[in-house]
């Protein structure tokens, strides 16, 4: 009887712990919502309506993420606990980086004042100091960036392929999420006493070996973890200054004027990914519509930008006042159709390509990086429901 009571107490304890972790994750999304609303208003007031409106849309998405996680949960315990620890770790890393930048920036100013040296004349410039000088000697925000930097920035669009490998695998390689789950099961069985102490009974671990539910949930875990890594640094960039951004330090990327007082494009596209995947988890859209949408958003946008910039001869002014090219539009449309053809078949591929063109040409104040991964899967799914044709090429 006493043993039964202890077991019930322990069960209630870990249920409470799981609830606390999940509530903390929801509160994190709500906090992001308020911050993005604040940044969005700040961007609009500073005459950056493009970035301001896009940031506010991200805030609306984070509000929905918080409510969805509160009701249904993005992923079960202990993965929501793992996510809270990951958030804490990323905040700690950014805090340490910011502290180092502040210290070195102050020392740099003192040396420049006392020794009268600037730039590369300062003795023994470290990587950190070179970064500080690059970010503070002149405005890091640009109207136009170099082709090399454009290619580097567009390479982040290849993250869509990583999600594909995480969910489906690659040729003979199992889905990365399945490998992760199986590895975690082996590991926690090897350290069972420690796991029981930190996370509760090992029997409560939610997945079995080769469990497909693990593939679904851990894919969402990877998406949210990627967003956490990028957005905390990006919030620091907007609120404190670009020199304090750890993400900016790692990527060595220059910034566009559209990112002044606004979130960066990596935040828009990750938010769009999570929103559409949330719809898939809720049973609203087909998984093929999801992958067709995000890969069209990734590959078509990158192709259109790079082809248009390198080979675009026939210029066209879109509604946002940007100058693009007919060659860029055509190449983006063709890639969108090819991607859609593979995942959802020839008819739905046309729908995806047309939506890509609409979101690339017509929006005035909203980034296509957030519109494409949301509206392309939804648009394809609407026509799947209306037409009822088979999904996929085969």
């Amino acid at each position: 009887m006493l043993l039964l009571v202890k077991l019930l107490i322990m069960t209630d304890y870990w249920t409470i712990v799981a609830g606390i972790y999940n509530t903390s994750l929801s509160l994190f999304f709500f906090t992001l919502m308020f911050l993005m609303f604040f940044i969005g208003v700040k961007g609009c007031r500073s005459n950056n309506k493009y970035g301001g409106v896009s940031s506010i849309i991200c805030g609306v998405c984070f509000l929905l993420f918080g409510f969805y996680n509160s009701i249904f949960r993005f992923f079960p315990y202990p993965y929501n606990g793992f996510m809270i620890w990951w958030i804490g770790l990323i905040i700690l890393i950014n805090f340490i980086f910011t502290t180092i930048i502040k210290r070195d920036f102050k020392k740099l100013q003192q040396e420049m004042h006392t020794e009268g040296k600037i730039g590369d004349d300062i003795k023994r410039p470290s990587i950190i100091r070179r970064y500080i000088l690059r970010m503070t000697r002149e405005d890091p925000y640009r109207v136009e960036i170099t082709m090399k930097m454009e290619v580097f920035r567009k390479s982040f669009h290849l993250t869509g392929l990583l999600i594909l490998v995480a969910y489906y695998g690659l040729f003979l390689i199992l889905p990365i999420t399945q490998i992760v789950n199986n590895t975690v099961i082996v590991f926690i069985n090897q350290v069972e006493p420690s796991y029981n102490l930190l996370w509760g009974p090992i029997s409560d671990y939610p997945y079995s070996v080769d469990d497909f539910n693990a593939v679904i949930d851990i894919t969402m875990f990877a998406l949210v973890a990627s967003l956490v890594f990028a957005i905390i640094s990006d919030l620091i960039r907007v609120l404190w200054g670009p020199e304090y951004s750890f993400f900016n330090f790692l990527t060595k990327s220059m910034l566009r004027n559209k990112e002044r007082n606004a979130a960066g494009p990596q935040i828009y596209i990750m938010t769009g990914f999570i929103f559409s995947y949330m719809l898939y988890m809720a049973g609203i859209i087909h998984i093929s519509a999801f992958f067709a949408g995000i890969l069209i958003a990734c590959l078509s946008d990158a192709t259109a930008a790079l082809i248009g910039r390198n080979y675009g001869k026939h210029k066209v002014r879109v509604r946002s006042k940007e100058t693009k090219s007919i060659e860029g539009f055509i190449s983006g449309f063709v890639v969108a159709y090819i991607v859609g053809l593979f995942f959802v078949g020839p008819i739905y591929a046309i729908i995806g390509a047309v939506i890509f063109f609409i979101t690339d040409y017509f929006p005035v104040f909203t980034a296509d990086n957030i519109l494409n991964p949301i509206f392309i899967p939804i648009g394809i799914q609407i026509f799947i429901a209306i037409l009822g044709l088979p999904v996929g090429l085969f």
Side-chain angles (χ1 to χ4, degrees):
M1 185 66 180
L2 184 61
L3 181 62
L4 180 60
V5 171
K6 288 183 177 180
L7 183 61
L8 288 173
I9 292 173
M10 290 300 293
T11 301
D12 289 341
Y13 171 77
W14 290 113
T15 301
I16 292 170
V17 169
I20 291 173
Y21 277 130
N22 202 66
T23 301
S24 300
L25 182 58
S26 296
L27 290 175
F28 174 74
F29 283 125
F30 292 141
T31 302
L32 291 181
M33 174 200 70
F34 284 115
L35 289 172
M36 295 306 282
F37 283 165
F38 173 78
I39 289 171
V41 172
K42 184 179 179 182
C44 290
R45 287 177 176 173
S46 63
N47 205 31
N48 181 11
K49 290 185 179 180
Y50 175 94
V53 173
S54 300
S55 298
I56 290 172
I57 292 174
C58 284
V60 173
C61 290
F62 294 145
L63 174 64
L64 296 175
F65 295 167
F67 278 124
Y68 182 91
N69 186 67
S70 299
I71 299 170
F72 301 107
R73 300 193 178 191
F74 275 143
F75 22 78
Y77 183 80
Y79 280 88
N80 49 16
F82 296 163
M83 181 58 65
I84 295 302
W85 281 92
W86 172 251
I87 293 170
L89 176 63
I90 297 303
I91 290 174
L92 177 61
I93 290 172
N94 279 274
F95 174 77
I96 292 172
F97 178 77
T98 301
T99 303
I100 292 172
I101 292 294
K102 283 186 175 181
R103 183 201 63 192
D104 275 33
F105 186 50
K106 185 178 292 186
K107 287 182 179 179
L108 198 56
Q109 287 180 316
Q110 291 173 350
E111 290 179 13
M112 291 170 65
H113 179 72
T114 56
E115 300 179 21
K117 297 179 180 180
I118 60 172
D120 298 330
D121 293 333
I122 295 175
K123 55 186 177 183
R124 299 191 303 277
S126 63
I127 295 176
I128 293 287
R129 289 193 169 196
R130 290 198 297 271
Y131 168 73
I132 293 172
L133 289 169
R134 182 167 64 88
M135 298 302 293
T136 57
R137 278 193 295 189
E138 56 186 37
D139 189 355
Y141 295 95
R142 300 282 193 275
V143 176
E144 292 290 337
I145 60 175
T146 64
M147 185 61 195
K148 179 180 178 181
M149 190 55 62
E150 183 75 49
V151 172
F152 181 78
R153 286 167 63 98
K154 292 301 180 183
S155 67
F156 285 105
H157 285 56
L158 298 178
T159 52
L161 296 175
L162 295 179
I163 302 170
L164 185 68
V165 175
Y167 190 92
Y168 283 118
L170 183 66
F171 299 114
L172 299 178
I173 302 175
L174 293 173
I176 301 300
T177 46
Q178 183 177 328
I179 296 173
V180 168
N181 176 57
N182 293 346
T183 303
V184 168
I185 291 174
V186 171
F187 177 74
I188 64 177
N189 276 282
Q190 292 176 342
V191 294
E192 184 173 353
S194 300
Y195 181 87
N196 290 339
L197 178 65
L198 294 173
W199 303 101
I202 200 170
S203 58
D204 290 342
Y205 183 77
Y207 311 119
S208 58
V209 174
D210 295 334
D211 191 338
F212 186 68
N213 287 323
V215 171
I216 296 173
D217 294 342
I218 297 176
T219 299
M220 175 59 90
F221 182 92
L223 287 170
V224 175
S226 300
L227 174 69
V228 169
F229 177 78
I231 198 168
I232 291 175
S233 180
D234 212 47
L235 289 170
I236 291 172
R237 172 185 64 81
V238 178
L239 298 174
W240 292 353
E243 65 270 22
Y244 298 113
S245 169
F246 183 59
F247 183 84
N248 204 54
F249 171 73
L250 291 178
T251 59
K252 295 183 174 61
S253 61
M254 299 306 294
L255 303 162
R256 292 185 185 273
N257 275 343
K258 294 177 181 179
E259 295 160 54
R260 193 189 300 272
N261 295 318
Q266 72 276 15
I267 306 304
Y268 302 147
I269 200 164
M270 289 178 186
T271 301
F273 287 174
I274 295 173
F275 184 89
S276 292
Y277 195 78
M278 179 182 72
L279 295 183
Y280 159 65
M281 292 183 72
I284 297 174
I285 66 173
H286 194 285
I287 187 62
S288 295
F290 166 75
F291 276 112
I294 68 165
L295 289 177
I296 287 173
C298 291
L299 302 180
S300 300
D301 182 70
T303 302
L306 297 178
I307 294 295
R309 183 156 180 173
N310 275 321
Y311 306 106
K313 303 297 182 184
H314 303 84
K315 302 299 182 181
V316 58
R317 197 170 180 83
V318 298
R319 292 194 63 200
S320 63
K321 307 302 181 184
E322 283 187 283
T323 300
K324 299 190 178 184
S325 71
I326 294 176
E327 290 84 355
F329 279 123
I330 292 174
S331 61
F333 188 91
V334 170
V335 170
Y337 181 78
I338 292 171
V339 171
L341 177 67
F342 182 80
F343 283 98
V344 292
I347 303 300
Y348 302 131
I350 295 176
I351 304 302
V354 169
I355 296 173
F356 167 77
F357 172 78
I358 292 172
T359 56
D360 204 36
Y361 182 85
F362 287 100
V364 179
F365 298 128
T366 312
D368 56 359
N369 279 325
I370 192 169
L371 295 179
N372 280 331
I374 292 176
F375 284 104
I376 295 174
I378 292 175
I380 291 173
Q381 184 60 44
I382 289 173
F383 277 87
I384 289 174
I386 293 173
L387 301 178
L389 298 173
V391 177
L393 181 59
F394 304 105

